[in-house]
Amino acid sequence: MTGTVPKGQNVLVFGASGTIGAAVVKQLAAQGRRVTGIYRTAPDQPVEGTQTRLCDVTDPAAIARDAFTDTPDIVISCLASRTGAPKDAWAIDYQANADILKAAKAASVRHFILLSAICVQKPLLAFQHAKLAFEKELRESGMRYSIVRPTAFFKSLSGQVERVRKGKAFLLFGDGLLTRCKPISDGDLARFIAGCIEDETRHNQVLPIGGPGPAITPLEQGEELFRLTGQTPRFRRVPVGLFTAMAGALGIAGRVWPHAGNTAQYLRIARYYATQSMLVLDPDTGRYSADQTPEFGTETLFDHYRELLKD
């Protein structure tokens, strides 16, 4: 029938204003699917051929009224708290997703795809506990699900590109060998998420996923940036214990000044990423395993560095 959309083609994407959500919307549109992006603020450049809706995801009534205006077959949530602070984390990573799931069940949605994070394997922070709480609710909902847990994003590992380009030292925590990761690009991750729709091996599964190539350390990231810019490597090492001392002091101050408490939380988050690898955690050994971390895609972090330096 003219104008109808085949089952599995009508997709609702929450968190479309984020870098991963935007990449997912573009990927789905390129596949010829009918896509509606749900935004907290109006996008500067909506993806051609897609629908755009504004929605306050902290309001369950608004989710039902503004997002589910027709019946989608698939819901993809790329929502994530912007700060990671406890209040924000539980409002977005848990509650907003729980309200979306409730609306999705009422609309008879067939498949819920969730963008989570690989760091929830070792939860020490509020946003990780919030993500895990919703993952559990989704798994127990009776709806078909795919929970995608990516490793590090290129954006989070590119903050020192401009610093090195300007001739400054690359900052390392400890010796730069404390952690490793298999970062995945926005485009490759978007293709993986979109692939969860049709690939039955990804249904009702928790899916850790990394990018191609060997796991890399912060020291190797810095060395490559210096090589690409033709500079002699210069590193400045920051003691990891500094995070702990500062977070502890600010945590005490936070009992009186809330802003200090939030800053303490940000320092705890920074310390986590400075000391924990973004790889699959082997349950038998309690160690992070590059071999057990699945790879997907074609773009490497160093490819991304080259493109940034060209610009």
Side-chain angles (χ1 to χ4, degrees), residues 16 32 39 111 115 126 141-142 156 160-161 167-168 239 248 254 258 268-269 282 285 287 296 300-301:
Y39 299 81
H111 190 179
L115 175 64
S141 68
S156 65
Q160 297 196 65
V161 172
K168 296 181 180 180
R268 293 186 192 102
I269 292 171
D282 186 333
T285 65
R287 296 179 179 179
F296 182 84
T300 70
L301 178 65

Short mmCIF file of all heavy atoms in Angstrom, two decimals, residues 16 32 39 111 115 126 141-142 156 160-161 167-168 239 248 254 258 268-269 282 285 287 296 300-301:
data_model
loop_
_atom_site.label_atom_id
_atom_site.label_comp_id
_atom_site.label_asym_id
_atom_site.label_seq_id
_atom_site.Cartn_x
_atom_site.Cartn_y
_atom_site.Cartn_z
N ALA A 16 18.89 12.22 20.20
CA ALA A 16 19.37 12.46 18.84
C ALA A 16 20.28 13.68 18.75
O ALA A 16 20.96 13.87 17.74
CB ALA A 16 18.18 12.63 17.89
N GLY A 32 17.35 3.92 4.59
CA GLY A 32 15.99 4.05 4.05
C GLY A 32 14.89 3.82 5.05
O GLY A 32 13.72 3.66 4.67
N TYR A 39 14.64 15.25 20.34
CA TYR A 39 15.67 16.19 20.78
C TYR A 39 15.20 16.94 22.03
O TYR A 39 14.03 17.26 22.17
CB TYR A 39 15.96 17.21 19.68
CG TYR A 39 16.49 16.62 18.40
CD1 TYR A 39 15.63 16.07 17.46
CD2 TYR A 39 17.85 16.63 18.12
CE1 TYR A 39 16.11 15.52 16.28
CE2 TYR A 39 18.34 16.10 16.93
CZ TYR A 39 17.46 15.55 16.02
OH TYR A 39 17.94 15.01 14.84
N HIS A 111 10.86 -3.64 19.88
CA HIS A 111 12.29 -3.81 20.15
C HIS A 111 12.83 -2.51 20.74
O HIS A 111 12.61 -1.43 20.19
CB HIS A 111 13.01 -4.14 18.82
CG HIS A 111 14.44 -4.57 18.97
ND1 HIS A 111 15.21 -4.92 17.87
CD2 HIS A 111 15.25 -4.70 20.04
CE1 HIS A 111 16.43 -5.25 18.28
NE2 HIS A 111 16.47 -5.12 19.59
N LEU A 115 21.70 2.32 24.29
CA LEU A 115 23.13 2.64 24.34
C LEU A 115 23.52 2.79 25.80
O LEU A 115 23.11 3.73 26.47
CB LEU A 115 23.40 3.93 23.58
CG LEU A 115 24.85 4.45 23.65
CD1 LEU A 115 25.81 3.46 23.00
CD2 LEU A 115 24.97 5.82 23.01
N ALA A 126 27.72 6.97 40.49
CA ALA A 126 26.26 7.07 40.45
C ALA A 126 25.69 6.77 39.08
O ALA A 126 24.71 6.04 38.94
CB ALA A 126 25.83 8.47 40.91
N SER A 141 11.58 -6.65 31.23
CA SER A 141 10.33 -6.04 30.75
C SER A 141 9.49 -6.96 29.87
O SER A 141 8.30 -6.73 29.68
CB SER A 141 10.66 -4.77 29.95
OG SER A 141 11.33 -5.11 28.73
N GLY A 142 10.11 -7.99 29.32
CA GLY A 142 9.40 -8.86 28.38
C GLY A 142 9.50 -8.38 26.95
O GLY A 142 9.09 -9.10 26.02
N SER A 156 36.10 11.50 23.47
CA SER A 156 36.64 11.55 24.82
C SER A 156 38.16 11.38 24.85
O SER A 156 38.79 11.67 25.86
CB SER A 156 35.98 10.48 25.69
OG SER A 156 36.31 9.18 25.22
N GLN A 160 43.30 16.30 23.86
CA GLN A 160 44.66 16.85 23.90
C GLN A 160 45.26 17.06 22.50
O GLN A 160 46.43 17.42 22.40
CB GLN A 160 45.57 15.95 24.73
CG GLN A 160 45.15 15.85 26.19
CD GLN A 160 46.25 15.29 27.07
OE1 GLN A 160 47.30 15.91 27.23
NE2 GLN A 160 45.99 14.12 27.64
N VAL A 161 44.49 16.85 21.46
CA VAL A 161 45.01 17.04 20.11
C VAL A 161 45.47 18.48 19.91
O VAL A 161 46.59 18.74 19.43
CB VAL A 161 43.95 16.66 19.05
CG1 VAL A 161 44.42 17.05 17.65
CG2 VAL A 161 43.65 15.16 19.11
N GLY A 167 52.25 22.59 20.73
CA GLY A 167 53.58 22.38 21.27
C GLY A 167 53.63 22.13 22.75
O GLY A 167 54.71 22.16 23.35
N LYS A 168 52.49 21.88 23.38
CA LYS A 168 52.46 21.65 24.81
C LYS A 168 52.64 20.15 25.11
O LYS A 168 52.50 19.30 24.25
CB LYS A 168 51.13 22.13 25.39
CG LYS A 168 50.92 23.64 25.25
CD LYS A 168 49.61 24.06 25.87
CE LYS A 168 49.39 25.56 25.74
NZ LYS A 168 48.12 26.00 26.34
N PRO A 239 50.01 12.56 39.23
CA PRO A 239 49.76 11.44 40.15
C PRO A 239 48.27 11.17 40.29
O PRO A 239 47.48 12.10 40.51
CB PRO A 239 50.36 11.94 41.47
CG PRO A 239 51.26 13.06 41.11
CD PRO A 239 50.68 13.70 39.89
N GLY A 248 38.37 13.77 48.13
CA GLY A 248 38.05 13.59 49.54
C GLY A 248 37.83 14.92 50.25
O GLY A 248 36.86 15.08 51.01
N GLY A 254 31.57 19.51 50.56
CA GLY A 254 30.26 19.43 49.91
C GLY A 254 29.11 19.28 50.89
O GLY A 254 27.95 19.50 50.53
N PRO A 258 27.12 22.68 48.26
CA PRO A 258 26.77 21.68 47.26
C PRO A 258 27.66 21.70 46.03
O PRO A 258 27.96 20.65 45.46
CB PRO A 258 25.32 22.05 46.90
CG PRO A 258 24.80 22.74 48.13
CD PRO A 258 25.97 23.49 48.68
N ARG A 268 35.97 12.16 41.02
CA ARG A 268 35.87 10.70 41.16
C ARG A 268 35.69 10.06 39.78
O ARG A 268 36.24 8.99 39.50
CB ARG A 268 34.71 10.33 42.08
CG ARG A 268 34.91 10.75 43.53
CD ARG A 268 33.80 10.22 44.42
NE ARG A 268 33.85 10.84 45.74
CZ ARG A 268 33.03 11.81 46.15
NH1 ARG A 268 32.07 12.25 45.33
NH2 ARG A 268 33.16 12.33 47.34
N ILE A 269 34.90 10.71 38.93
CA ILE A 269 34.70 10.21 37.57
C ILE A 269 36.02 10.23 36.81
O ILE A 269 36.39 9.27 36.13
CB ILE A 269 33.63 11.04 36.84
CG1 ILE A 269 32.26 10.80 37.47
CG2 ILE A 269 33.59 10.68 35.35
CD1 ILE A 269 31.16 11.73 36.95
N ASP A 282 37.03 -9.70 32.53
CA ASP A 282 36.95 -11.15 32.59
C ASP A 282 36.44 -11.56 33.98
O ASP A 282 37.11 -11.32 34.99
CB ASP A 282 38.34 -11.75 32.34
CG ASP A 282 38.31 -13.28 32.25
OD1 ASP A 282 37.41 -13.91 32.85
OD2 ASP A 282 39.20 -13.84 31.58
N THR A 285 38.95 -13.92 36.03
CA THR A 285 40.22 -13.40 36.54
C THR A 285 40.07 -12.05 37.23
O THR A 285 40.95 -11.65 37.99
CB THR A 285 41.23 -13.24 35.39
OG1 THR A 285 40.74 -12.23 34.48
CG2 THR A 285 41.42 -14.55 34.64
N ARG A 287 40.20 -9.34 35.64
CA ARG A 287 41.08 -8.45 34.90
C ARG A 287 40.43 -8.06 33.57
O ARG A 287 39.62 -8.80 33.02
CB ARG A 287 42.43 -9.11 34.63
CG ARG A 287 43.22 -9.42 35.90
CD ARG A 287 44.54 -10.09 35.57
NE ARG A 287 45.32 -10.37 36.78
CZ ARG A 287 46.51 -10.97 36.78
NH1 ARG A 287 47.05 -11.36 35.62
NH2 ARG A 287 47.15 -11.18 37.92
N PHE A 296 34.63 -4.03 16.06
CA PHE A 296 33.68 -3.75 14.98
C PHE A 296 34.13 -2.49 14.26
O PHE A 296 34.62 -1.55 14.88
CB PHE A 296 32.27 -3.55 15.54
CG PHE A 296 31.22 -3.32 14.48
CD1 PHE A 296 30.62 -4.38 13.83
CD2 PHE A 296 30.85 -2.03 14.13
CE1 PHE A 296 29.67 -4.18 12.85
CE2 PHE A 296 29.90 -1.81 13.15
CZ PHE A 296 29.30 -2.88 12.51
N THR A 300 40.06 3.73 13.03
CA THR A 300 40.82 3.69 14.28
C THR A 300 40.94 5.09 14.87
O THR A 300 40.76 6.10 14.18
CB THR A 300 42.23 3.12 14.07
OG1 THR A 300 43.00 4.08 13.32
CG2 THR A 300 42.18 1.80 13.32
N LEU A 301 41.30 5.15 16.13
CA LEU A 301 41.50 6.45 16.79
C LEU A 301 42.59 7.25 16.08
O LEU A 301 42.48 8.47 15.93
CB LEU A 301 41.88 6.23 18.26
CG LEU A 301 42.17 7.51 19.06
CD1 LEU A 301 40.92 8.38 19.18
CD2 LEU A 301 42.74 7.16 20.43
#
